[in-house]
Amino acid sequence: MRPHPFAALAVCLTLAVPAFAEDKPTKKPDNVRVVCAANSKDGSRVVQGTDLIIEPGEKVKDAVAVEGNIILRKGAEVEDAVAIRGRVILEPGARVKGDAVSIGGEVRVHKGAHVDGDAVALGGRLQADAADGVKGDKLSLSFEIGGKDVVRGFIEDALDEDMRCHIIDEDEKES
């Protein structure tokens, strides 16, 4: 049985809380945008600052997007999909064999798409067009006051606005 994603989420949120104790961060210029992407040897893909699109027929181990969306086209398959400050969108015919998680965004499972594990949207909505689209648990945590999502605001405040892309390849470090 797969470990439950809530333990990992609790650790992430606990580590993010010290960000509130810092002084007001310096804001980067509006015309600067960090865009990074990496493919790992095990077949995982990671992007920051842009969308990650898994095309029809592609099989990817894990898909991670920070400040971007994950879009799975018809016939695309991933083990797990995690978007931070972005959405996870499964078009009809797409499949996530594990969990689909969005922190500060939404999870959208169109009719004909499948999530074999859990579908979790923290600070956003979970929308599954078909009852059998998600086999595992369905969790959507969103709390709005005056039209503003408090959970999403908390997540955005916890994540530093000046996030930088740091990709460390353990294999390259050893050689």
Side-chain angles (χ1 to χ4, degrees), residues 57-123:
E58 287 188 295
K59 293 185 179 186
V60 175
K61 183 168 177 11
D62 295 317
V64 179
V66 178
E67 296 179 336
N69 302 317
I70 298 174
I71 302 167
L72 281 80
R73 303 274 190 225
K74 179 179 182 176
E77 186 176 287
V78 300
E79 289 291 327
D80 293 303
V82 179
I84 300 172
R85 283 184 171 164
R87 299 179 293 164
V88 176
I89 302 166
L90 283 78
E91 294 180 353
R95 180 177 177 207
V96 175
K97 294 168 71 174
D99 301 326
V101 179
S102 175
I103 300 173
E106 301 172 344
V107 174
R108 175 82 162 91
V109 182
H110 288 274
K111 186 174 183 174
H114 297 282
V115 176
D116 295 344
D118 301 333
V120 180
L122 299 176

Side-chain angles (χ1 to χ4, degrees), residues 25-36:
T26 49
K27 189 161 176 105
K28 66 182 174 190
D30 291 335
N31 61 347
V32 174
R33 181 175 174 147
V34 177
V35 177
C36 299

Side-chain angles (χ1 to χ4, degrees), residues 36-40 43-48 52 62 64 165 167-168:
C36 299
N39 294 325
S40 71
S44 296
R45 293 191 192 163
V46 180
V47 299
Q48 179 180 0
L52 175 56
D62 295 317
V64 179
C165 184
I167 299 169
I168 300 171

